[in-house]
Amino acid sequence: DQQVKQNSPSLSVQEGRISILNCDYTNSMFDYFLWYKKYPAEGPTFLISISSIKDKNEDGRFTVFLNKSAKHLSLHIVPSQPGDSAVYFCAASAQDKIIFGKGTRLHILP
Amino acid sequence: SAVISQKPSRDICQRGTSLTIQCQVDSQVTMMFWYRQQPGQSLTLIATANQGSEATYESGFVIDKFPISRPNLTFSTLTVSNMSPEDSSIYLCSVASGRYHEQYFGPGTRLTVT
């Protein structure tokens, strides 16, 4: 039973445009939602998080939106840059555990 | 942030053997975690390793299969015992910063069991 779902295995976006990565979850008890970024042959790196009591958090080019009623969050990257090409993991935290999604591979096209 | 190294970076092992993976952190940390990422799957927590206490294993993972040591605040090992091809995965260690959910990961160990 997947508690955190990323339904798009991959996404291609033109450089300079907006990238939108989506994530759905099932557990209402999650208190933090997270995005991690992973390059090949490296471990995931923490990117941005949002508390369950907020609906938006912004950090430079990265913004995470949380819609609790729909149990949905999204990561917006604008403008997209070549270095953003990576696998992005959506994750959620509750009771000192992190549950990860399967990841979405983002390709930034020149 | 913490800098984490893992050894080996990759290995090919025969079924029935065991492999010990080392995780070294450049600063003292209380909580260390071991994850597995099977091909095409998400990261799955194997166990939490706190210095001075027994590791806490997640459902589906047992100490006999994945023994963990945590001798000090900067080092941990995970052993994958009596390996089978189903153990072929990337194994990652991580540590928590001040907030549990902001974890720093090592580069991973890619294990192939033949």
Side-chain angles (χ1 to χ4, degrees), chain A:
Chain A
D1 177 32
Q2 267 189 282
Q3 296 188 58
V4 178
K5 297 179 183 179
Q6 294 177 257
N7 292 318
S8 298
S10 68
L11 175 68
S12 295
V13 175
Q14 205 82 33
E15 180 179 354
R17 307 294 287 268
I18 183 171
S19 295
I20 300 176
L21 295 95
N22 293 302
C23 179
D24 297 298
Y25 63 94
T26 58
N27 188 343
S28 300
M29 301 304 293
F30 288 135
D31 54 4
Y32 273 93
F33 300 90
L34 324 155
W35 287 94
Y36 280 79
K37 175 180 179 180
K38 185 182 184 301
Y39 292 119
E42 295 183 12
T45 56
F46 172 76
L47 191 58
I48 191 170
S49 67
I50 186 168
S51 165
S52 61
I53 62 173
K54 297 192 174 182
D55 56 17
K56 177 182 175 181
N57 188 27
E58 190 172 351
D59 184 3
R61 298 186 298 114
F62 303 91
T63 303
V64 57
F65 295 93
L66 176 62
N67 182 335
K68 287 181 65 179
S69 61
K71 292 190 173 67
H72 177 84
L73 66 153
S74 61
L75 175 68
H76 293 212
I77 306 173
V78 56
S80 299
Q81 298 176 354
D84 297 329
S85 293
V87 175
Y88 290 79
F89 290 98
C90 172
S93 173
Q95 298 179 328
D96 289 348
K97 293 192 196 315
I98 299 179
I99 309 296
F100 287 86
K102 291 187 178 182
T104 296
R105 185 177 299 276
L106 176 63
H107 300 270
I108 304 301
L109 306 171

